[in-house]
Every structure is written in structure tokens, then in C-alpha cells.
Amino acid sequence: MIHSLFLVNSSGDIFLEKHWKSVVSRSVCDYFFEAQERASEPENVPPVIPTPHHYLISVLRHRIYFVAVIQSEVPPLFVIEFLHRVVDTFQDYFGVCTEAAIKDNVVVVYELLEEMLDNGFPLATESNILKELIKPPTILRTVVNTITGSTNVGEQLPTGQLSVVPWRRTGVKYTNNEAYFDVVEEIDAIIDKSGSTITAEIQGVIDACVKLSGMPDLTLSFMNPRLLDDVSFHPCVRFKRWEAERILSFIPPDGNFRLLSYHVSSQNLVAIPVYVKHNITFREGSSQGRFELTLGPKQTMGKAVESVLVSSQLPRGVLNVNLNPSQGTYTFDPVTKLLSWDVGKINPQKLPSLKGSMSLQAGASKPDENPTINIQFKIQQMAISGLKVNRLDMYGEKYKPFKGIKYMTKAGKFQVRT
Amino acid sequence: MDEGFFLLREDGVGVVKTVLASAENLQLSFKFEPGVEEVALTNSNGSKKEAPGIGNEDLKEMLESNKESLKLEAMKRIVGLIAKGKNASELFPAVVKNVASKNIELKKLVYVYLVRYAEEQQDLALLSISTFQRALKDPNQLIRASALRVLSSIRVPIIVPIMMLAIKEAATDLSPYVRKTAAHAIQKLYSLDPEQKEHLIEVIDKLLKDKSTLVAGSVVMAFEEVCPDRIDLIHKNYRKLCNLLVDVEEWGQVVIITMLTRYARTQFLSPWREDALFDENSEKAFYDSDVEKEKADSKPYMMDPDHRLLLRNTKPLLQSRNTAVVMAVAQLYWHLAPKQEVSIVTKSLVRLLRSHREVQYIVLQNIATMSIQRKGMFEPFLKSFYVRSTDATHIKTLKLEILTNLATEANISTILREFQTYVKSQDKQFAATTIQAIGRCATNISEITDTCLNGLVLLLSNRDETVVAECVVVIKKLLQTQPSQHSDIIKHMAKLLDNITVPMARASILWLIGEYCERVPKIAPDVLRKVAKSFTSEEDIVKLQTLNLAAKLYLTNSKQTKLLTQYILNLGKYDQNYDIRDRTRFLRQLIVPNEKSGALSKYAKRILLASKPAPVLESAFKDRDRFQLGTLSHTLNAKASGYLELSDWPTVAPDQSVRNVEVMEPVKEWAPSLGKPKATKSDDKFYSDSGEEEEQEEEASESGSSGSSSSSSEEESSSGSGDESGSEGGESSSSDSEGTDKSSSQSESGKKKKPRKKPSKADVKDSDSDDAKEKKRPKPKLDSVSSHSKASSSSDNTASSGSESEEDTDSDSEPEQKKKKKLSSKPQVQEKPKKEVSLLDLDDFEPMPASAPKVPILSPSLLSDLQGLSLSSASSAIEVSSPVFVPPKSHELLHRMSGKGLAVSYHFPRQPCAYSHRMVSVQLTLTNGRDQPLEDICVGEAGPPGIAIHRFATIERLQPEASITVSMGIDFNDSTQAANFQLCTKTDQFSVSIQPAVGELLMPVTMTEQDFLKEQGQLTGMNESSVTITIAPDSMSSQPVGRKVVSVANMGVVPSSQNSIHRFAAKTVSSGSLVLSSVVLQEASTAKLVVNTEKTVLGSVLLRELKTALSQG
């Protein structure tokens, strides 16, 4: 399966390599660099690159390419999924997954990779098991380790790997038993020029942070489970129970995990919480263009639209912009032509707007297309699909846990065509 | 030892440096740790780059010091070097010494180093082997596993025999984790020494039989790597793998699913035939028609139950969070499922499009291939493939490809509107691809060709050259498919020639004008004139087309163009490019008639102006389906090394019986040579006996109450078991498949008559069951057994010898029953033959005829396999025993008030369920409290799909004040989750639910004390829950404890050698996991209560219930 792994930073240096079978020379990455050069954007590097003797499968995250070298037929998604799992684990361990963090923790990284793959086949990818094997570094522990000479490697043996619930480590103890669930929904939408919705769908996830002692068995039920059209579960969820009663019943892993991701059936009309009024024009012959943008809330059920961020890739012909935001700040990068406007909160009484002019390259013809506007926003305490958790019950343990549920709606890939 | 290593050093400076470094170390060791690190850091920074030798020297010193922390620090730095790809191999001797270190982290880092460099330093690596060999014997399974892991990762050919031995040993290890590691080691050894293949296959075969979910994925991986062609190893494990699949870890799932896809393609018939019956419901139909159709020549397609099993068991995995698993299931459905069922994967695939960019890329590729063949699958999700400006280019292209594939007359207008936006995209490459897509839509859907053409012509005025060029090329292709009256478009394009500079576009225009020069007779010569002027500065491709145009014009309009053509031909003659010179020479000979070329030039016009076939615009994914979806080869559209072809469906169904698992080895072993002839003989008897009887009874049952539905379900269940019996026979005797078929159909029909005898007997049983239960539990069963055995032995007089009846039993689909019979009560031993005959007709235990309006979720034959599995997983000494008698506790299901007069109560009779061994049998007592009779009482919609319910037959009529007892089977799946269903009468429907007490989900087993202790030893840790309780004083003696435990839970008593310890054993009904419980009485009315089971949740609930029961007075 996976022969070797190379980590390549954005400037094209290999800063870490790990081999699970015989050593593969790092020159194999030259093919990758070739592809990288050919691609106009970092994202455009093809995920699968054939070379004469190997195949390179890469993922790009946090501006690091994780390049896996494989030698024979394997489902590409298998490798891709695994690489993403590696990144998630690093993020989980080090808080961020950057080149610096990996370099600083190279020993932990190596220990992790050693446990995650055996002979190229995934061995332990559950974060609960890994954390039993290798303790994540914290500042306190680093200090203690240097003084006492103790290590990050867990002393006890990872019994979790052998249990029937491999995702949960054993012997969990907390003084405050608490379980928090975040219902986060994202709206993916494409809005056309005239403001009508071309496509809109809601994707949601329930992220959990469960800190409960012992071996709790939780059930979570919804007021309106029918809304969930397509779901995927963390392995802990009992599928049959869901099929039968539309109840999530599970023994949770310890700590943070994604319990469920779902898709709200596309038949339901999606409420679009913001609207955009825009007027972007380029005039033939003149070197000036007009830019006007106004945002407003709609269908927000009384909740405030916050953390609004508007970004747009302006046409190449635009040299600079001179805009005037009614609130927030904007930036324009004359090299990448990326305009971004940090709006903040939308005040329904005084709608935020960004108006002004763009200066175009002299003599250049007017761009064919108006730029697409990407919008990000957050709405707290509301799940736009109307999904509601009914109740959360715990069995199997005596204590009374503290339970909390938070709802949030965010913009996913929210685009307005102009 | 140390000296030896010193000698190994090569650098001369070494000695001096060592002295210096050790002096430094001496100094350091007086200082405090952080200082050490500081020095280490500065050293590493200073030395690593400029003089690696010196830095390593320093590391060597640290490794040889006796301070753990120094060694650790050194190892960490060495790992850092390895990670950077720097060579640290010269430190090998110093590192390898630490392999036996006590410090876990140090040891792990040494392992990392060892695995990395052992190949380069083979001799030195051998020094570490003994450490691993020792660790392989460690009592701790995790240490054994890790030793095997490292040992097998050391790629040193000399140790191959040691590895082989270690693998063989580990493959039989008690711990599944060690066995998993062994499966991994197989692949490593194979890549190190392929000579070992045969031995390794043996180990794989052994491990494939393993029941543990931990092992399954890894061993299948090894199988795929070592011997993917040995399909025969899979047969016996096929059903087990299907059933384990859901519980295997996600990576293993992918591998198993991929393997099973290949397997299924070789073993099952194609479900894609025209006349095939597809949906789940038609399974029933197929069983129905089973017997009649078997003989008919053109039998309709029947899906092999094993094929269905695979599809059913993989379906839930579509909900996996692992995208690779979802994709694997999707490809399995694509390659194996009947066409109608494939579309269930659509939603999940579309869901994956929300995932990371790389995932999207792979999934979109697969969707692209799928969407060519099956538009309908993805059409409802058209909008999910709309392109966003933020998508990466290759994602955009793939989405476009899919949109084009999905275009139909109905949706083309929306798609075209969407395309219009894309054409204007800033990403010009993408815009050009969109134009190609428009071209494809235009050719595929003739209605819109004109619209598209007009649109494209408009685009010709686009400012961007790549867009225009692409337009020209596409228009050229479109015009070629429709060479009607598009001369105005050609004229328009001729005008464009002045502005367009992209060679491909210019060439296309020239070609177009040449091809249709007769339609634009005025313009064509003028165009030629223009290009003649610029000929020398054109690209080669344009020059070639200019030559073509000239030649064509010369032939059609030589008056105007003769001179021009000659001019161009002259230019071409002296061109730098030999292609152009060649072409010039060729054309000149062809069109300008002279003596030499007389014959050909006559046909010049026909040669040059022949009508050309229109190009077909088709998807780049057209022939991708030759590769298995989801594979690397599919992604690359080229065969990757190690790609295994999916075979075509077999034309003749391979023998199904190969997948049957011997259920009971002891019985099997027994005289197989005798078995065959006798079995057939007795079957024959059955058949001939029942011939007419069958028909009569068919009629009788038809006229009877439950009508066709009941008979169909009977047939279904019997066909399942019949199937089994036939194949078992075939197996034990290795008879030819014909014989197998025959005997199976015979035994089917033989069996069929049996259920019809039931009603009378069952009634008897029913009526006395209530009071019988009061007296003694096992009795009713014995009654029916004996009464029945008489009946069947009379019908089957010839089956007198014990061996024959034994054979019958063997073919039974309910092996648990068998075992139970064998062991349950000693007095019955003498009448063994008789009893076993009756056992064959397990259905007869049912108080009501086996009739279900719907097909149970699991068909009986499958169930029996499941059972075989679960059974054999327990050691052979653990047998299901008969339940200890307890007074039944009745629970209310439906109150008289809420049931509009119908009152229903239920209890658990604690008998093995006759419908399926996975089900718990439940008896319902229905009482009519109304003054009118209730009619047509039946079970309606059964609630949770996860819970299988075997319904009771419809009760035609229940007189006022009368009551009736019926029995049902419910598979609770070992959870205490309630089974919901509806009770329907003719007029009303009541939703009711049965919540099982945990103790009722068990089946008592007998085992020896030793076995108990052994099993208990394996179920420790998480699987054990215990509590100390205060016991009511009167329970301190043994009897009450036993009674109390048994009243709560259906467990069997295990004989105990100590008075103060009581042990109970059972297994869960559904999955057959062992549940062990022990009560240790201590002083002062306390006792320790322990429950061991892998079903942790069930265990803890049981513990709680036992605790309450025992602490009550």
C-alpha cells in the first residue's frame, strides 16, 4: 500500500520523509515538482500522478503537500482519506499543522506515523488510541519531561485497540462530566445576477466534545429527524438503531469528535439569510469602473448575521480600487486582484455598503465577466434547516452529566454571480 | 562489546573526539538536564550541516553514556536526521545496543531506526533478533505483537526462517491482536522472499478462518497481496466475511469489499439480465416459483442468496464517514447489483462531493464514468455539479464532463444557461472546455444543435482568442455533422480569418471553406488569396490546410484559382518542413494532370472532396468503464501495476455449495462414505411419499385461512433449509452438483408437507401450554417432540437406522437445535434416532403454521450459516442447553381500553425460536374483551428495520371473551431496544412495542468449569463488569442464588466445585456472544457479582438487573 510519505512545503522543499517499506529515493518527488510547476495554482496539482515506477498521491492542506508514494494498485481514495486522517491527527496533536509545528515535533510525528501505518496498511487511526500510545505534547509536559526525563510515550499499553469499542480509551475519569454538541450547518449556494437562487443546499455536522467518565452510553434524539436526508456517522453510532428509530445511540469516544454529518434533503427550500445588491460596471474605452455592493439580511428569523466577510476575485485588468466602506475594512491586493471586505455584523437598520471606483489598465478592453462574490457569515443559535435536538440521555453511568447544545449556521460555498 | 564497536569506527579523529566529548559529558552530568539539552542543541546546529561526522560522533557518545535521558536525546536527534532524509547509518552499532532498553520511548525510537537501516547493515541487525525472539514469548499480547511487527519489518533475508516460524506461531496466538500483526507480517515476508509463498498461503488460509473482526481486514489484505487468484480460499469464509464486514475497522472494510467484488463476479450469475427480478420483494416471488421453475428450461434469473447477502451487508456502509469505504460500496453496487438497485449509492456519492478537494476529484471521476451509462442515477442531483468559481481547474473540468453526460432534452436549457456563465469565466482554459462541452451537447441532442451553433457563432466575437479558437474548432465539427445550409456561418468565419491568430482555429476555418467551397463560391477564392499572401509566415498546420484549400478550389473552380494554387504549391515545394513539401508534391501530382499520373488524377475530385464522416464528439470517460471503479487504474485510465481485472459474469452458475460451512465438525467427520447413498435414499422416500399428499395439502392450505401468503412463506423457509441440506450432502460426499440439486429439491418438497401437519399439534400444545408452563417448562416441548416424532417416523418408516436420521439432522438448518438435543437431557439418549427425526422438522415446534405475510429480513439458509459461525467461535464444549424452568412473567402489550376491547399480553417462553435462531421467541396472548368477534388480527407494519420480526399468522376471527396464544420471533439484535410493530384488526391499528428484559436475550449454555474459567479469562478488562452487593440473608445458600439469577436471566448453571461460587453461562440469542456471570458469596452477606461479555452494554445492564434481583429478599 503506502510505501513512503514525503512532506513538501509551498516552496518545494521536502522537509520530512518516512518510509514504511524499502527506502524510496526522494528523487521520485521530481515528478511531483514538475506537475507543481505546470499547475497555475497550488490547488491545481493533480492528486494522482503516475511516474515510471511509482504513483504519487498527494493532498494539499495548510499549504503543505503530503505526497504518498505507492507502487501498485490501491483505491486512490484509500490513500487520500488516510492522508487527511494524518493531517487531522497532527492538527489534533499540535493545534496547528504547519511546517514549523511538524519540525518542532518531529519525534512525535515519527512515532505517530509509525503507529498509524504498518507496512503501509493503516493500523491505528483513532485519535483515542493514538493518544493512549503517544501523549500529545503540551507546554507543561515538555517542561516536565525535560526536568524529569520522562517521555511522551504512554507507559501503559493501548488496551483500547483490543476492545469492542476501539474508539474509546479505557479508564476515563473526569471531575466535571460534560457533553457538548455543536450543530453546525453550512449553506452552499449559488445566487445568480438577478438575485435568484440557482442552487442551494444545507450540509450539517454535529461536532461533539464529550468528557464523561467511565463507559457512558448516550442517545440523542431529534425533534425532526426526517429533515436529515443523507447521513454519515462516526463508527460509534449504532446504525440499526438509527434506521429503526431515527435515534443516535452511541458510546462516545473521549474528547472531540464528529458525531454525524448530514445533508438536508434538497426538496426543502433553503432560506438564504443574506442578499446582495451589486452594481459592478466597466465601461468600454474608459479606464474607470464602478463598484457598488450592499448587503442585507433576509430570512434570518430575527438572528443577527455576524462575521461577514466578502471576497471577490476582480478581473485581471483592474489595477487598483478606490472604495468606501460604510462599515468594516477592505483590502485589495493588486497582485492577486483579490478584494476582501471584512464587514462584521450586519445591522438591519443601516445596511453595510462598499462603493467606489476601480481603475483599469489603460487601453485594455473591458473584461467579459463580472467577478463572482464569495460571502462568509455566521449566525449563532440557529440551525437554518430547523433541525432541533430533542433530548440527550445517558445510560450506563451513575453521575449526572452537564449537557449543552449549540446551534450555528455558516456560509459554506456561498457565491453570488454578478 | 564496546571495544568492538569502537573498532568499527572509521574516522581517525574519532579517538580524540571521544575523549573530548566524554570529558564534556562528564562535565555535563554534574550540571542539570536543561543544560545538556542546550549543549546538544548547539552541537547539532553547529555540526550537522558542515561536518556530519563530528555531529554523529557526538551522538555516539551520548548513546554510549549510561544516562537514559542522554540516550533518548540522542535518539530523538537521530530520528530528526532520518526524517530529514540524512544518512545516519554509521551510528547503527551504537543504536542497536539499546534495543533491549527498558525505556519505552527509547525502545520505540530504536525500532524506528532499526527498521530504517537494517537493510543496509544486515550483519549488525542480527544482533537485535534475539531480543525480539524473547519478546515473542512475552505473556503480554501487545508486547508479542510489537515484537513481531518490528521483527518482520527488518528486511534481512537471513532471518526469513525465523520470521516464518514467528508468523506461524503468531497465527495461532490466542490474542486476535497478535494474529492481526501476523497477517501484516505475511505481506512483509512475502515481499522479502516470494519463495515462501506456499507456506504463507497456508497461514493465510488459517487466518481467513479467523472469526475476529480485528484480523479480517488484515488477512484479506495479505490475501490480496500474496495470492489474489486463490479464490477457493474465500468460499468457506465468504459468508463470515459478509457478516463481519460491518464491524471490521474501516480500512479493512475497503479491502474486503474490493476483494468480495472480484469474488462475486466469478461466483454469481449476472443480475443484469432482461428478465431478471430485482427488488427485495421479488425475492419472495423467486422462492415461490422456485420449485416449478427449477425444471423449466428458461428459468428466470434468481439471485443467489449469497449475492444478496453481500449487497445487503454492504449497504449500511454507505453511511460510513470514511470516503474510501463509501466509494468501495458504490463500486460494489455498480459492478454487482441489479441495475435498479445501483441508484441507492447516488446520494452517498454526492455527499462525498462536500469533502476535500482530492476526494472530490476521485469521486467526480467515478461519477463521470457512471453517468455515461446511467444518466438517471445522477440527474436529480444535477445542481450539485454546478461549477463554482473557487473550484480547482481539474474539478471544474470534471463537473463539466458530468453535466454534459447528464444533458437530456428535458434539462438541456438549464444546462446551457449554466454553460453560458462558464463561458464568460475568467479562467479561459475552463471557458474553452465549456465550449467543447456545448459542442458535445449539440451533437448529442439534435434539437438544440441550431441554438448551440448560433450561440457559438456569437461567441466568435469574443475578445479572448482561446475562446474563439475553441469555438471555431467546435463549429467546424458541428457543421460537419450537419452540412446543410450553414453557408452564412461559413461566411462569417471566413471574415474572422483576418483577426484570428490561433493556428488551430485558422486551420479549421480553412478546412471548412475548402470542404464546403461549393457553398461559398464567391468567398473561397478570396480567402485563398489572403492566405497565399501570408503563407510563409503561417504555422505548419495552417500551411497544410492552405494547401488543401488550394487543391480543392483548383478542382472545383480552377478558372479563378489556377494561378493562386500554383503559387502556393511553389511556395510549399520549398518549405522548410518536409511534411509540407511532401504534401505539396502529392497534391501537385494528384490535381495537375500530366502523363505520369494519369489514372489517379481522374479521381482527384473524388479523393479530395469525398464526403467525410462526421467526427463523433464523445466523452473522455467513454471507455473508462473497462476498469473497476474506484481503482487507481480507473483514475489514471491506464492499467496500474498489480491491477486485478474484474472478470465477466460466469455464464453458468458455479456451485453454490462451496460456500457452505460445515456447521458441526464432529457430526461431519462421521462416516461420510456411508452418508451419501443413504441420504439420497431417504430423501427419495420422502419425495415419493409426499408426492400426492403435497398436492392435496397445497389445495387444503389454499382454501385454508392464511392462503397463499402462508404457503409461500413456508416454501420460502423450506427452500432455504432445503438448499442447505442439498449442499451439505454434496459436500460431505463430494457428489456431483447434479445430485446435489436433485436432493435439494427433493428434500424441499419432502419438507414441505411437514408444516401442514402442524396446526392440530400446535393447537394441542397451545391449549395446554399455559398450564403446562406452570408445571414444568421443558415439558410442552418434549410433548410436541415425542408426538411429532411418532408422526414423522411413521411417515418415514424406512428411515429406521440411526445413521440415516442423523443425516437428516445434519441437513437441518438449525444446528443449535441439534446440539441442544444432543446434550440437553440424558434420559432422552435412548430414543435418539426418533428424536432426531423429529428435529428435522423444527418448524413443527411452532404453535402456529409458519406463515408470515412478508419475507423475514434474513432468509433461513443464511441464518443457519450465521449460526454456524457463531457456534464454532465458541469452543466445542460450550453447548446450548435447555432453559431452567422459571415461572413466566407476563407483560402487558396492549391494554383492553386502548385496544378497543382487544387485550394483548406477552411473555418470553425462553424456548429457542423456531423461526430463526437469532430470534427470541415471544408468546402473545390475545383476548377479545369486546362483545363482537374481532377479525383479521395480524401484525402490520413492523417498526425498526434493524429488528427482524417473524409475524404470527393472521387470526381470522377471535370470538368475544375468547383468547388465543400465538408466538412470534423477534431478533432484538442483542439490544434492549424495543421492537415496535402494529397490531391490526380489520378495523383498527394499534402501535405496540415489546421491550425485552436483558435476561431474555440470552440462551443458556452448558460448559465445564474449566471452560468457564478459560472463557472468563479471555473476557477481562473492558468486557468485565463487577460489583459487590449485599445479599439478602436467605439467599446465602446455593439454591436461592441460582433461582434468582435464572429468574432474571435465561442462563445455564455451570457446575461449580466450590460452594460459595455460583457460575452461570449463556450466550446472546442474536449474535451468540458468550455471557458469563459469577456470584462469589463472601462473609457478612456480601457477594461479588461479575459479568463477563463482549457486549459491554448488555453486560452492564445485566449486572444491574442481577444486582437488584439478588439484593432483594
Side-chain angles (χ1 to χ4, degrees), chain A residues 1 16-17 20-23 26 43-45 47-48 50 55 58-61 70-78 80-82 84-85 106-107 110-111 114-115 117-119 121-123 125-126 146-147 151-153 155 157-158 161-165 170 186 188-190 198-199 201 203 215 217 229-235 238-241 243-245 251 284 313-316 365-366 368-369 372 374 413 415 417, chain B residues 32-33 37 72 76 79-80 82-85 103-105 108-109 112 116 119 140-142 149 155 177 180 184 187-188 214 218 221 225 249-252 254-255 316 319-324 327 347-348 351 353-354 356-363 383-384 386-390 392-394 418 421-422 424-426 428 462-463 630-633 635-636 639-643 944-946 973 977 1022-1023 1094 1096-1097 1104:
Chain A
M1 293 241 146
L16 187 121
E17 62 178 65
W20 283 274
K21 300 184 184 179
S22 304
V23 177
R26 54 164 69 193
E43 292 88 43
N44 287 350
V45 179
V48 183
Y55 304 95
S58 61
V59 306
L60 170 68
R61 277 184 66 187
I70 53 171
Q71 209 157 32
S72 60
E73 176 64 54
V74 59
L77 269 187
F78 186 97
I80 290 171
E81 177 80 25
F82 176 79
H84 282 298
R85 221 46 94 69
V106 74
V107 175
Y110 240 69
E111 283 166 348
E114 189 69 28
E115 291 300 337
L117 275 186
D118 181 17
N119 194 35
F121 191 77
L123 192 65
T125 49
E126 279 301 335
T146 37
I147 292 168
T151 67
N152 278 335
V153 174
E155 291 292 330
L157 293 156
Q161 224 158 347
L162 312 169
S163 86
V164 281
V165 277
T170 46
E186 294 194 353
D188 288 354
I190 302 178
I198 292 179
T199 161
E201 28 182 41
Q203 313 278 349
M215 193 56 65
D217 195 339
D229 186 35
D230 184 48
V231 281
S232 72
F233 300 115
H234 189 273
R238 297 183 180 101
F239 182 70
K240 292 215 165 131
R241 191 89 191 269
E243 281 282 273
E245 304 168 59
I251 296 175
E284 194 72 63
Q313 181 76 48
L314 297 186
R316 240 164 294 160
S365 51
K366 110 182 176 38
D368 309 310
E369 192 200 30
T372 318
N374 295 302
K413 297 173 184 162
Q415 294 198 336
R417 292 177 179 164
Chain B
F32 208 54
E33 307 297 290
E37 203 166 57
L72 192 59
K76 283 185 176 173
V79 167
I82 296 176
K84 286 207 193 81
N103 183 319
I104 294 185
E105 183 165 26
K108 277 194 176 174
L109 295 179
V112 168
R116 171 69 178 76
E119 215 170 359
N140 187 316
Q141 47 177 339
L142 291 155
R149 223 184 116 188
R155 286 172 296 272
Y177 187 65
K180 182 190 175 78
H184 283 251
Q187 305 163 52
K188 298 181 204 167
L214 263 179
S218 305
M221 190 63 229
E225 206 121 300
E249 38 87 37
E250 38 195 0
W251 309 108
V254 179
V255 178
Q319 254 66 48
S320 171
R321 67 167 169 174
N322 188 319
T323 56
M327 190 64 231
K347 255 188 208 170
S348 309
R351 184 186 71 225
L353 295 182
R354 275 282 298 177
H356 298 287
R357 183 181 61 92
E358 297 85 7
V359 176
Q360 281 184 41
Y361 174 71
I362 305 290
V363 174
K383 290 188 170 172
S384 305
Y386 281 5
V387 176
R388 291 162 201 278
S389 60
T390 41
T393 305
H394 51 254
E418 191 63 20
T421 331
Y422 303 162
K424 285 188 265 165
S425 161
Q426 291 177 30
K428 292 306 165 198
N462 193 296
R463 224 173 284 104
T631 59
L632 184 62
S633 305
T635 299
L636 297 170
K639 211 164 165 177
S641 69
Y643 173 72
N973 251 320
Q977 182 192 351
M1022 278 217 20
N1023 297 326
E1094 349 178 334
T1096 30
V1097 181
R1104 214 163 43 219

Side-chain angles (χ1 to χ4, degrees), chain B residues 268 286 686 714 751 861 949 1026:
Chain B
F268 304 127
F286 122 56
F686 260 172
E714 273 164 25
K751 282 185 173 199
S861 67
I949 294 185
S1026 68

Side-chain angles (χ1 to χ4, degrees), chain B residues 761 764 780-793 838:
Chain B
K761 256 178 294 156
V764 172
K781 197 183 82 226
L782 289 182
D783 277 351
S784 74
V785 164
S786 55
S787 72
H788 188 63
S789 62
K790 265 174 242 150
S792 50
S793 60
S838 70

Side-chain angles (χ1 to χ4, degrees), chain A residues 6-280:
Chain A
F6 294 98
L7 266 55
V8 179
N9 62 16
S10 47
S11 51
D13 298 324
I14 302 171
F15 65 93
L16 187 121
E17 62 178 65
K18 167 94 181 106
H19 308 274
W20 283 274
K21 300 184 184 179
S22 304
V23 177
V24 178
S25 156
R26 54 164 69 193
S27 63
V28 74
C29 287
D30 293 348
Y31 294 97
F32 178 79
F33 296 137
E34 247 171 59
Q36 201 184 5
E37 257 165 52
R38 242 175 296 144
S40 51
E41 307 266 325
E43 292 88 43
N44 287 350
V45 179
V48 183
I49 302 169
T51 78
H53 301 289
H54 298 93
Y55 304 95
L56 305 177
I57 297 185
S58 61
V59 306
L60 170 68
R61 277 184 66 187
H62 309 286
R63 296 202 282 151
I64 300 172
Y65 290 99
F66 292 74
V67 186
V69 182
I70 53 171
Q71 209 157 32
S72 60
E73 176 64 54
V74 59
L77 269 187
F78 186 97
V79 180
I80 290 171
E81 177 80 25
F82 176 79
L83 292 177
H84 282 298
R85 221 46 94 69
V86 170
V87 183
D88 292 341
T89 312
F90 287 173
Q91 220 168 352
D92 196 20
Y93 264 75
F94 315 130
V96 283
C97 179
T98 59
E99 187 182 346
I102 292 175
K103 277 182 171 167
D104 288 348
N105 296 292
V106 74
V107 175
V108 179
V109 165
Y110 240 69
E111 283 166 348
L112 280 173
L113 290 175
E114 189 69 28
E115 291 300 337
M116 290 179 86
L117 275 186
D118 181 17
N119 194 35
F121 191 77
L123 192 65
T125 49
E126 279 301 335
S127 95
N128 264 252
I129 294 181
L130 286 172
K131 283 192 175 155
E132 246 180 309
L133 289 166
I134 301 148
K135 301 241 168 59
T138 59
I139 295 171
L140 181 70
R141 194 171 290 129
T142 324
V143 173
V144 171
N145 284 354
T146 37
I147 292 168
T148 60
S150 62
T151 67
N152 278 335
V153 174
E155 291 292 330
Q156 82 267 49
L157 293 156
T159 43
Q161 224 158 347
L162 312 169
S163 86
V164 281
V165 277
W167 54 84
R168 188 175 178 85
R169 61 194 180 94
T170 46
V172 186
K173 268 232 153 63
Y174 289 102
T175 39
N176 293 326
N177 288 297
E178 43 195 20
Y180 296 108
F181 293 86
D182 289 358
V183 180
V184 182
E185 296 194 338
E186 294 194 353
I187 306 175
D188 288 354
I190 302 178
I191 313 284
D192 81 354
K193 227 178 204 144
S194 58
S196 58
T197 311
I198 292 179
T199 161
E201 28 182 41
I202 300 172
Q203 313 278 349
V205 293
I206 299 183
D207 284 332
C209 174
V210 176
K211 293 181 174 170
L212 297 175
S213 319
M215 193 56 65
D217 195 339
L218 302 180
T219 57
L220 184 86
S221 61
F222 297 102
M223 305 270 246
N224 37 12
R226 299 279 155 211
L227 273 177
L228 308 182
D229 186 35
D230 184 48
V231 281
S232 72
F233 300 115
H234 189 273
C236 68
V237 177
R238 297 183 180 101
F239 182 70
K240 292 215 165 131
R241 191 89 191 269
W242 169 258
E243 281 282 273
E245 304 168 59
R246 302 266 145 183
I247 283 177
L248 294 175
S249 154
F250 54 97
I251 296 175
D254 185 44
N256 294 316
F257 66 102
R258 173 155 297 176
L259 178 64
L260 168 84
S261 36
Y262 61 89
H263 178 256
V264 175
S265 71
S266 38
Q267 280 79 17
N268 296 21
L269 279 180
V270 178
I272 303 292
V274 291
Y275 70 87
V276 180
K277 268 197 223 149
H278 51 83
N279 181 15
I280 302 171

Side-chain angles (χ1 to χ4, degrees), chain B residues 133-369:
Chain B
Q133 279 179 307
R134 234 188 345 266
L136 281 172
K137 303 268 184 294
D138 196 280
N140 187 316
Q141 47 177 339
L142 291 155
I143 291 175
R144 287 202 301 276
S146 104
L148 179 62
R149 223 184 116 188
V150 181
L151 177 68
S152 56
S153 300
I154 296 175
R155 286 172 296 272
V156 177
I158 292 179
I159 61 163
V160 163
I162 300 177
M163 275 160 81
M164 193 67 222
L165 207 69
I167 290 174
K168 278 190 173 157
E169 213 152 277
T172 51
D173 199 287
L174 277 180
S175 151
Y177 187 65
V178 177
R179 297 201 298 271
K180 182 190 175 78
T181 320
H184 283 251
I186 290 173
Q187 305 163 52
K188 298 181 204 167
L189 181 53
Y190 179 66
S191 65
L192 185 64
D193 183 12
E195 299 279 292
Q196 302 291 325
K197 187 171 176 181
E198 286 312 310
H199 297 287
L200 289 174
I201 291 178
E202 275 168 38
V203 184
I204 289 177
D205 189 28
K206 198 183 296 163
L207 284 173
L208 274 172
K209 296 199 176 84
D210 205 295
K211 308 290 189 296
S212 163
T213 49
L214 263 179
V215 185
S218 305
V219 68
V220 171
M221 190 63 229
F223 170 85
E224 291 280 82
E225 206 121 300
V226 179
C227 52
D229 46 337
R230 288 291 302 275
I231 281 284
D232 56 302
L233 298 180
I234 302 298
H235 290 320
K236 289 266 183 278
N237 303 299
Y238 172 82
R239 290 175 194 163
K240 181 195 72 191
L241 285 173
C242 286
N243 288 314
L244 288 184
L245 197 55
V246 189
D247 297 318
V248 175
E249 38 87 37
E250 38 195 0
W251 309 108
Q253 284 172 345
V254 179
V255 178
I256 296 178
I257 292 172
T258 318
M259 188 275 291
L260 287 179
T261 311
R262 265 189 315 118
Y263 176 86
R265 277 296 273 263
T266 61
Q267 297 301 316
F268 304 127
L269 286 180
S270 165
W272 300 338
R273 276 171 39 178
E274 292 292 298
D275 55 343
L277 299 164
F278 296 109
D279 44 339
E280 298 268 349
N281 297 339
S282 70
E283 235 181 323
K284 186 177 123 195
F286 122 56
Y287 282 119
D288 247 348
S289 54
D290 207 0
V291 184
E292 297 89 30
K293 296 276 168 64
E294 200 118 301
K295 280 147 201 165
D297 283 343
S298 62
K299 54 177 179 186
Y301 168 74
M302 298 175 290
M303 188 180 271
D304 189 310
D306 288 330
H307 190 169
R308 174 55 68 200
L309 174 77
L310 177 61
L311 292 177
R312 191 168 38 223
N313 283 4
T314 47
K315 194 177 158 200
L317 298 180
L318 283 173
Q319 254 66 48
S320 171
R321 67 167 169 174
N322 188 319
T323 56
V325 176
V326 178
M327 190 64 231
V329 179
Q331 67 83 22
L332 179 128
Y333 264 77
W334 178 257
H335 290 293
L336 297 181
K339 300 273 186 210
Q340 284 86 332
E341 287 170 39
V342 179
S343 49
I344 64 163
V345 306
T346 315
K347 255 188 208 170
S348 309
L349 284 179
V350 173
R351 184 186 71 225
L352 298 191
L353 295 182
R354 275 282 298 177
S355 192
H356 298 287
R357 183 181 61 92
E358 297 85 7
V359 176
Q360 281 184 41
Y361 174 71
I362 305 290
V363 174
L364 284 171
Q365 275 191 329
N366 286 292
I367 292 180
T369 305

Side-chain angles (χ1 to χ4, degrees), chain B residues 47 80 226 246 274 333 362 385 523 574 582 805 831 879 925 1076 1100 1110:
Chain B
S47 55
V226 179
V246 189
E274 292 292 298
Y333 264 77
I362 305 290
F385 304 108
I523 296 173
Y574 300 107
D582 262 3
S805 50
E831 29 173 317
E879 310 280 355
T925 310
L1076 307 174
S1100 61
L1110 285 169

